[in-house]
């Protein structure tokens, strides 16, 4: 191949952009404040975005003054803080608190344990590129945790990582086949996404490329809207039947149920438990890419920090808290958010946006328009997706995980706790900053 | 007057909040109404088989039209006294409750409901309440006082008594069973000639615990509940709930529970048990008793007629319905629901007293529902969540009484909020003078349905029949011979030749011939002379079961038999068929029939014959990818999700199927020799399917890729919603809908409309529907985002092979399909093609990708 050759030129252009982008990641966090190329908002502040970049680069939380723990939303996790013990009572820094989490707490079934209390959220082929999916799957495999297919099907390139890939069954049933259910150690029913409860997933025509349409069996360039409910599930005994179906296809699979946070989310959780769920994922309203409609994102579901304790409490009352795992998701931005969610009653967290930020997301919200993400993340464009190389991506995610684990252990030590399990439901170690008190 | 009734309730104490006590969704429901009193034991199998629709945290029954002897009263007391049934959780409060009762009522008789000594013996965890029935009348002075205080001088005395009873129960429940505090006793039912019993458990355990096996009634409903909250230790939340003379069970969930509570509160009605079902029956009672609406209007207020269906109502109905909708919209339950109501009809409201069973579905038909009718010497009507429950009840009846047989004459679904049937059916039992009752079946509008005079059914006799002499013919010819020879005489002829087939011997060629012939006789429709089809079919099915069971006695090269609990064997040859006796296998989970099939497949079996199904789910699921060459034949009442996810296998259902068939089907073939239920082919990717009858709601929803399906009947509504199956002429998917059915004489006849629903092809973006509509009955209004397109030669060439296969499978010839009102027409005159209307303009991106 030589210069002037079309594909050679294309490669060159891609190379140039990629280099820029990656180089930029290294220098951006060190730029003077006020000149940040990242966007962000009050919830995902530029500081948070930078610090995730930094962590994905170095595997450590930033030490240059960036606020990597909380955002500036004036509510939710941003008003919560930890009551750390006096230095003398904290555990020594060489002590390594246990972060592992058992994902099946029932007496029967396969025991799956993950070494850290988090895994990757469902993001579909179509909403993100295949290279991003691969980056996530490789990182999950390295860490012995999970990532999730989302609802757009199961690309063949993920099969080598199948022991670390959760198959999602969502209302559109796109790409769900018996073998994709059989691959999965965990099958996730997505009833709702916190970012757009009451709406199905949707992929606008612009991103439904030939390849995406092929994976989903639909026509290219036509918007794909999943229905808001499962049309075969209008009640809890239908849900039980749905679970029975999956367990007929794959009797070993653990069952995860992803729900948003309606007012009766606690009842939903109890119902899920009695319908054989191993994991209930409570998806709050702060997550979602730019593709989720703004009006839905911020106005429908109950805030995550209220939903978690509500669910935790009812499960305790029912005497079943220790048989089901609560995973919190939807706007977890830092190790601190994670620890707060766990202190409120969750067992662990599921990370979506945070992983995209680690791979270069600037929160520009241009996820669905035109060719999609300018950084090659939430795109289906064959050219743009080349901006992220899976080995580079997985390394960054792995670095992020390292940093998150380091911070979680640090928090536990400061609370005098020997394991992440001890933190669960310990609301007493949290304090609330009233408006103006900070 | 209505206002006075409502005002009379205004002094009642009001509960503090209307938060639903327990989340609730699913349930298993069954109801029956019969000309003769039926014993409770006949509901047992149906309820046991549906136990996966409940979770053991609430079960109940209601019985209407009772036997006075059981209670030790005479018919007059049973008819005229209120049967006040109290559940005592705390036995010590009996005296207090009775003081309450004696203050207002004359008690004519007291009956203590029998029960088992030990509740643990039938697996119950919580002791059910002790139940005492009081036959009582309102004291004269109490009635006069009530009339005086509420200015009800013009009211009917019986109506006043009803209201006193009703308000008294409310007070009693509030005193002894507050939803938030102590739970000592509550009123189970208080209507005339009806009783409700419920507990923390399953519906069938109610029958066992209270020893209702031989307790008889004209109308029964049974219910399993599935509350989502775990710790339920009191039975107050279980169904049925009562209004005054009606008991209601419900499967579903209201989204607007709070709004309905507000609506009721404005009328001084307050729920105490905090579940959807309670407010549903309070609504029913308000509309029926207080407002005095005829049943049709009650149903309209609950499940309004909407969209195009509304516009198709006669003008006078539109006027009334519009008023009803305007007035009661806030009290109309929103969400998925199916009600079954048992009602003791009082002569005051109707010309004469009687009993009835009412099934009502929500406008969008979001819950499963099946109705059935058997019109033998003793007619019986049934309604349930699943067909298998109906079949189980009929079988139980038939096992005991030769006047019944295990197959209904008609099975059908209601079309919610429709102008055609109104989404509700009513079975009414009219007791006759001579002690013989009569049953009629009507729809919401009061139209009698299934009135056609049927031929006499088969009545079992013990007389032994000599086996007939079968001609020595190969299967195909023998089938033709039997079809034309054995059905034109008496039932005895059929039985004679069935016996010959069943005792065909253990030789493989004889067995396989007998299987083929019997299967053909079950699958096809053909004239059966003066015999009744449902009787013939049940004889055929029984013979089939007997034949399959005979393999149990001796396996052969071609057939190997297993039943529940047996080890799945290895195949002895690769041709061998694994014959599985389905009865007894659990419907799902470990040890299920579905997993037995998977096990057999892993051991190398490719052919399966599953017979005597009793609602087992997931048949053919779990086989995994690339199952070409696998064939599963299913007989009996197969269950939900059959053929889901198959990838190459072929499944033949020799009878009517249930809900969620062929979900995410990828490749392979499904053939259903009957009707099927909700959400057929949801999210399917491909494969071919042939259905002899009709589908219920939402077939092909969200299907993508290249599924190709022929439905010979029609579907209720929402056909091919969000269909995305490419371009049919370029390999995409499509549905052919023929709009025909078979009449009693097995002739192919036109349905009234090939598609009665409002929504055809809603939000569809790919694929096509070829709908047989020679009379051009389908109008544009029904197409939500589809449009008619020209039916070209290429289209006909595309569908022709499927119609040919359809003709081969069901005997519905292409010639007949192209025939309309005595004229043979061209394909383009008969079939209309519907395609998605929004043809997306090619976008820059596509141009860009194509340019590469």
């Amino acid at each position: 191949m030589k210069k002037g050759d079309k594909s050679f030129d294309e490669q060159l252009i891609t190379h140039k952009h990629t280099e820029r982008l990656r180089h930029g990641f290294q220098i951006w966090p060190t730029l003077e404040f006020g000149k940040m190329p990242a966007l962000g908002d009050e919830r995902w502040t530029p500081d948070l975005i930078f610090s995730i970049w930094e962590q994905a680069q170095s595997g450590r939380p930033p030490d240059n003054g960036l606020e990597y723990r909380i955002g500036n939303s004036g509510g939710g996790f941003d008003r919560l803080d930890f009551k750390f013990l006096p230095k003398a009572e904290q555990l020594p820094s060489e002590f390594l608190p246990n972060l592992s989490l058992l994902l099946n707490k029932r007496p029967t079934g396969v025991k799956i344990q993950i070494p850290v209390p988090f895994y990757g959220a469902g993001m579909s082929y179509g909403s993100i590129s295949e290279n991003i999916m691969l980056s996530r799957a490789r990182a999950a495999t390295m860490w012995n945790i999970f990532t999730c297919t989302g609802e757009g099907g199961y690309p063949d390139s993920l099969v080598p990582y199948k022991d670390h890939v959760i198959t999602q069954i969502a209302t559109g049933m796109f790409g769900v086949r018996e073998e994709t259910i059989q691959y999965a150690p965990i099958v996730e029913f997505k009833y709702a996404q916190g970012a757009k409860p009451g709406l199905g997933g949707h992929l606008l025509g612009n991103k439904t490329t030939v390849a995406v349409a092929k994976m989903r069996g639909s026509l290219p360039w036509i918007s794909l809207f999943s229905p808001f409910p499962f049309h075969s599930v209008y009640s809890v005994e239908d849900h039980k039947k749905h679970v029975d179906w999956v367990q007929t296809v794959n009797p070993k699979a653990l069952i995860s149920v992803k729900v948003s946070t309606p007012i009766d989310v606690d009842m939903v959780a109890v119902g899920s438990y009695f319908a054989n769920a191993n994991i209930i994922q409570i998806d709050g309203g702060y997550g979602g890419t730019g593709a989720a409609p703004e009006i839905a994102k911020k106005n429908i579901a109950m805030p995550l920090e209220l939903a978690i304790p509500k669910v935790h409490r009812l499960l305790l009352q029912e005497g079943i808290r220790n048989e089901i795992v609560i995973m919190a998701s939807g706007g977890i931005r830092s190790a601190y958010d994670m620890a707060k969610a766990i202190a409120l009653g969750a067992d662990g967290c599921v990370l979506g946006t945070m992983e995209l930020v680690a791979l270069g997301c600037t929160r520009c919200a241009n996820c669905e328009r035109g060719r999609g993400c300018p950084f090659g993340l939430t795109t289906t464009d064959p050219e743009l997706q080349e901006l992220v190389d899976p080995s580079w991506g997985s390394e960054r995610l792995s670095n992020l995980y390292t940093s998150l684990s380091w911070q979680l252990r640090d928090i536990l030590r400061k609370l005098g706790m020997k394991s992440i399990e001890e933190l669960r439901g310990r609301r007493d170690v949290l304090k609330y900053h009233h408006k103006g008190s900070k | 007057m209505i206002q006075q009734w409502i005002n009379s309730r205004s002094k009642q104490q009001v509960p503090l909040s209307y938060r639903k006590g327990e989340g609730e969704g699913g349930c298993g429901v069954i109801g029956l109404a019969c000309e003769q009193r039926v014993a409770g034991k006949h509901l047992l199998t149906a309820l046991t088989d549906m136990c996966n629709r409940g979770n053991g945290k609430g079960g109940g029954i209601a019985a209407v039209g009772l036997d006075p002897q059981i209670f030790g009263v005479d018919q007059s007391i049973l008819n005229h006294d209120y049967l006040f049934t109290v559940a005592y959780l705390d036995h010590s409060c009996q005296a207090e409750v009775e003081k309450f009762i004696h203050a207002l009522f004359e008690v004519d008789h007291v009956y203590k409901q029998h029960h088992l000594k030990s509740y643990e013996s039938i697996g119950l965890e919580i002791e059910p309440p002790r139940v005492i029935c009081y036959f009582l009348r309102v004291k004269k002075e109490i009635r006069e006082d009530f009339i005086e205080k509420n200015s009800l001088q013009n009211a009917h005395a019986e109506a006043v008594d009803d209201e006193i009873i009703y308000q008294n129960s409310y007070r009693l429940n509030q005193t002894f069973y507050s939803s938030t505090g102590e739970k000592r006793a509550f009123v189970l039912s208080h209507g005339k000639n009806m009783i409700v019993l419920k507990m923390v458990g399953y519906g069938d355990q109610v029958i066992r615990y209270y020893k209702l096996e031989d307790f008889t009634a004209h109308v029964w409903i049974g219910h399993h509940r599935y509350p989502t909250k775990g710790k339920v230790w009191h039975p107050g939340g279980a169904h049925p709930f009562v209004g005054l003379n009606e008991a209601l069970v419900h499967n579903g969930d209201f989204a607007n529970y709070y709004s309905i509570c507000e609506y009721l509160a404005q009328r001084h009605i307050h729920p105490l048990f905090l579940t959807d079902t309670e407010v549903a029956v309070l609504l029913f009672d308000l509309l029926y008793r207080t407002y005095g609406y005829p049943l049709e209007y009650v149903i309209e207020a609950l499940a309004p007629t909407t969209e195009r269906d509304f516009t198709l109502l006669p003008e006078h109905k539109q006027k009334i319905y519009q008023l009803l909708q305007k007035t009661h919209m806030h009290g109309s339950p929103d969400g998925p629901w199916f009600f079954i109501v048992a009602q003791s009809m009082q002569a005051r409201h109707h010309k004469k007293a009687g009993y009835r069973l009412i099934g009502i579905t929500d406008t969008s038909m979001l819950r499963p529902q099946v109705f059935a009718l058997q019109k033998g010497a003793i007619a019986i009507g049934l309604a349930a969540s699943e067909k298998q429950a109906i079949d189980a009840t009929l079988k139980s009846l038939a096992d005991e009484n030769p006047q019944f047989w295990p197959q209904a004459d008609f099975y059908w679904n209601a079309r919610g909020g429709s102008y055609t049937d109104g989404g509700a059916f009513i079975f009414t039992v009219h007791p006759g003078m001579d002690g013989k009752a009569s049953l009629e079946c009507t729809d919401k509008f009061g139209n009698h349905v299934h009135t056609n005079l049927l031929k006499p059914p088969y009545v079992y006799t013990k007389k032994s029949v000599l086996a007939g002499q079968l001609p020595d013919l190969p299967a195909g010819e023998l089938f033709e011979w039997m079809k034309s020879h054995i059905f034109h005489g008496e039932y005895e002829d059929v039985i004679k030749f069935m016996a010959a087939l069943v005792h065909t011997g253990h030789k493989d060629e004889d067995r396989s011939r007998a299987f083929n012939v019997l299967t053909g006789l079950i699958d096809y429709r053909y004239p059966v002379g003066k015999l009744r089809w449902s009787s013939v079919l049940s004889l055929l099915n029984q013979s089939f079961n007997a034949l399959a069971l005979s393999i149990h006695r001796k396996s052969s090269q071609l057939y190997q038999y297993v039943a529940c609990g047996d080890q799945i064997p290895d195949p002895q040859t690769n041709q061998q068929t694994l014959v599985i006796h389905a009865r007894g296998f659990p419907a799902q989970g470990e040890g299920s029939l579905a997993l037995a099939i998977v096990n057999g497949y892993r051991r190398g079996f490719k052919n399966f014959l599953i017979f005597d199904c009793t609602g087992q789910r997931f048949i053919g699921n779990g086989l995994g990818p690339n199952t070409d060459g696998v064939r599963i034949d299913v007989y009996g009442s197969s269950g939900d999700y059959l053929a889901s996810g198959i990838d190459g296998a072929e499944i033949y259902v020799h009878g009517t199927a249930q809900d969620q068939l062929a979900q995410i089907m990828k490749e392979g073939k499904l053939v259903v020799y009957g009707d099927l239920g909700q959400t057929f082919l949801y999210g399917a990717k491909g494969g071919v399917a042939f259905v002899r009858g009709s589908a219920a709601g939402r077939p092909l929803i969200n299907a993508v890729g290249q599924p190709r399906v022929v439905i010979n009947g029609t579907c209720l509504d929402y056909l091919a919603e969000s269909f995305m199956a490419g371009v049919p002429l370029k390999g995409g998917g499509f549905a052919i809908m023929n709009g025909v059915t078979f009449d009693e004489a097995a002739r192919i006849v036109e349905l009234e409309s090939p598609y009665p629903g409002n929504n055809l092809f809603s939000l569809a973006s790919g694929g096509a529907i070829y709908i047989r509509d020679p009379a051009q009955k389908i109008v544009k209004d029904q197409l939500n985002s589809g449009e008619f397109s020209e039916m070209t030669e290429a289209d006909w060439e595309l569908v022709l092979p499927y119609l040919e296969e359809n003709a081969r499978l069901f005997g519905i010839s292409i010639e007949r399909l192209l025939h309309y009102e005595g004229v043979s027409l061209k394909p383009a005159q008969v079939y209309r093609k519907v395609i998605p209307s929004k043809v997306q303009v090619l976008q820059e991106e596509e141009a860009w990708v194509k340019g590469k």
Side-chain angles (χ1 to χ4, degrees), chain A residues 14 17-25 28 36-40 49-50 53 127-129 131-132 135 355-369 371-390 392-393 396:
Chain A
T14 312
H17 278 289
T18 327
E19 279 303 294
R20 257 310 136 70
L21 202 59
R22 292 178 189 182
H23 210 65
F25 278 140
W28 278 344
M36 300 167 174
L39 298 167
I49 295 176
F50 283 136
W53 287 349
S127 79
I128 56 173
S129 77
N131 277 356
I132 302 295
S135 308
E355 295 192 348
L356 291 184
V357 171
L359 298 173
C361 169
T362 63
R363 299 279 295 163
C364 74
N366 191 21
C367 305
E368 196 76 17
R369 265 157 287 171
R371 290 165 68 179
C373 176
F375 304 100
L377 305 165
T378 57
T379 185
T380 50
D381 185 291
E383 245 170 28
L384 282 174
Q385 82 148 353
E386 289 307 316
L387 293 177
V388 175
D389 175 52
W392 174 79
R396 283 186 75 83

Side-chain angles (χ1 to χ4, degrees), chain A residues 6 10 170-179 181-182 205-206 209-210 216-227 229-238 240-251 263-264 266-268 270-272 274-275 310 314 316-319 370-371 381-383, chain B residues 19-27 52-53 55 57 226 228-231 251 253 336 366-367 588-589 594-595 598 602 617-618 620-625 640-641 644-647 659-660 663-664 666 679 682-683 685 698 701-702 704-705 721-722 724-727 765-766 840 843 845-846 848-849 851-852:
Chain A
K6 193 172 169 235
E10 268 170 24
T171 53
M173 302 268 187
F174 291 113
V176 181
R177 289 168 283 141
E178 280 211 336
E179 61 263 44
I181 296 174
Q182 289 174 339
N206 285 333
T209 58
V210 176
R216 298 186 180 214
S218 64
L219 287 173
W221 316 115
I222 285 180
S223 300
L224 299 177
F225 294 92
S226 297
F230 279 104
H231 281 291
S232 46
V233 182
Y234 281 105
S235 73
V236 65
E237 111 268 16
D238 283 354
K240 173 73 169 51
K241 189 161 73 175
H242 217 182
V243 171
D244 287 337
W245 164 55
V246 163
Q247 293 191 324
T248 301
V249 177
N250 180 356
I263 183 111
D264 58 351
D266 48 346
M267 299 271 195
V268 173
V270 174
S272 305
F274 284 106
K310 197 172 154 72
L314 188 63
L316 273 179
Q317 274 173 25
E318 294 280 327
R371 290 165 68 179
D381 185 291
E383 245 170 28
Chain B
R19 221 205 130 182
K20 258 195 240 188
E22 290 142 18
E24 183 165 16
C27 296
N52 47 20
R53 292 189 166 265
N55 60 4
K57 301 217 160 70
Y226 203 128
T228 44
K229 207 170 165 177
K231 281 186 187 164
N251 171 8
D253 188 21
L366 297 172
R367 300 305 308 137
Q588 68 271 309
L595 289 177
V598 172
R602 300 240 163 93
R617 293 170 172 172
F618 313 116
N621 299 192
L623 301 175
D640 299 343
Y641 278 81
S644 287
I646 55 170
D647 184 11
D659 297 330
Q660 287 103 25
Q663 181 159 299
I664 69 162
K666 191 179 161 214
T679 49
Y682 178 13
K685 326 285 177 220
R698 300 180 173 76
I701 187 160
N702 259 76
V704 296
E721 187 169 301
S722 299
M724 293 176 264
V727 180
S765 59
Q840 197 92 359
Q843 298 185 352
E845 283 80 4
E846 187 180 14
W848 175 79
V849 168
K852 275 174 77 87

Side-chain angles (χ1 to χ4, degrees), chain B residues 824-839:
Chain B
S824 281
L825 299 167
K826 288 200 185 76
Q829 294 171 299
V830 172
Y831 283 94
R832 302 171 81 187
K833 182 182 184 185
V834 182
I835 57 164
S837 55
K838 275 182 240 141
V839 180

Side-chain angles (χ1 to χ4, degrees), chain A residues 142-397:
Chain A
M142 276 189 252
W143 276 73
N144 197 19
I145 57 171
F146 294 94
T147 187
C148 173
T149 59
E151 69 165 323
Y154 201 117
D156 287 340
S157 56
L158 285 193
V159 177
Y161 311 100
K162 66 181 167 45
D163 292 340
H164 300 280
V165 177
I166 296 171
T167 293
Q168 187 182 79
I169 299 179
T171 53
M173 302 268 187
F174 291 113
V176 181
R177 289 168 283 141
E178 280 211 336
E179 61 263 44
T180 69
I181 296 174
Q182 289 174 339
Y183 291 153
I186 301 176
V187 174
E188 173 177 307
F189 288 100
K190 180 195 150 194
Y191 278 90
Q193 187 188 348
K196 39 182 191 286
L199 302 167
H202 56 238
L203 186 65
L204 297 187
N206 285 333
K207 283 174 77 179
T208 317
T209 58
V210 176
V212 171
K214 195 172 167 222
M215 179 70 75
R216 298 186 180 214
S218 64
L219 287 173
W221 316 115
I222 285 180
S223 300
L224 299 177
F225 294 92
S226 297
F228 71 89
F230 279 104
H231 281 291
S232 46
V233 182
Y234 281 105
S235 73
V236 65
E237 111 268 16
D238 283 354
H239 165 65
K240 173 73 169 51
K241 189 161 73 175
H242 217 182
V243 171
D244 287 337
W245 164 55
V246 163
Q247 293 191 324
T248 301
V249 177
N250 180 356
K252 282 188 183 159
L254 298 189
I255 301 295
S256 168
V257 177
K258 177 177 178 180
V259 296
S260 68
T261 51
I263 183 111
D264 58 351
V265 60
D266 48 346
M267 299 271 195
V268 173
V270 174
S272 305
Y273 166 80
F274 284 106
N276 281 2
N278 301 100
I279 302 167
I280 173 112
Q281 181 183 343
I282 308 169
D283 197 34
Y286 303 133
T289 65
E294 217 49 26
I295 184 86
K297 256 198 278 200
K298 289 169 187 161
N299 295 302
I300 303 181
M302 191 188 348
L304 182 62
E305 66 277 8
L306 299 183
I308 299 169
K310 197 172 154 72
V311 172
H312 177 65
R313 202 179 311 134
L314 188 63
L315 291 172
L316 273 179
Q317 274 173 25
E318 294 280 327
I320 51 178
R321 179 64 188 90
N322 288 327
E323 289 194 46
I324 188 163
V325 176
I326 302 179
M327 296 301 281
S329 65
I332 304 288
R333 305 155 301 173
S334 66
Y336 277 74
D337 281 0
M338 224 188 286
K340 287 169 194 171
I342 293 169
L344 287 171
D347 289 277
C349 292
V350 179
L351 315 177
T353 306
M354 202 203 278
E355 295 192 348
L356 291 184
V357 171
L359 298 173
C361 169
T362 63
R363 299 279 295 163
C364 74
N366 191 21
C367 305
E368 196 76 17
R369 265 157 287 171
R371 290 165 68 179
C373 176
F375 304 100
L377 305 165
T378 57
T379 185
T380 50
D381 185 291
E383 245 170 28
L384 282 174
Q385 82 148 353
E386 289 307 316
L387 293 177
V388 175
D389 175 52
S391 51
W392 174 79
S394 54
E395 194 189 303
R396 283 186 75 83
L397 289 174

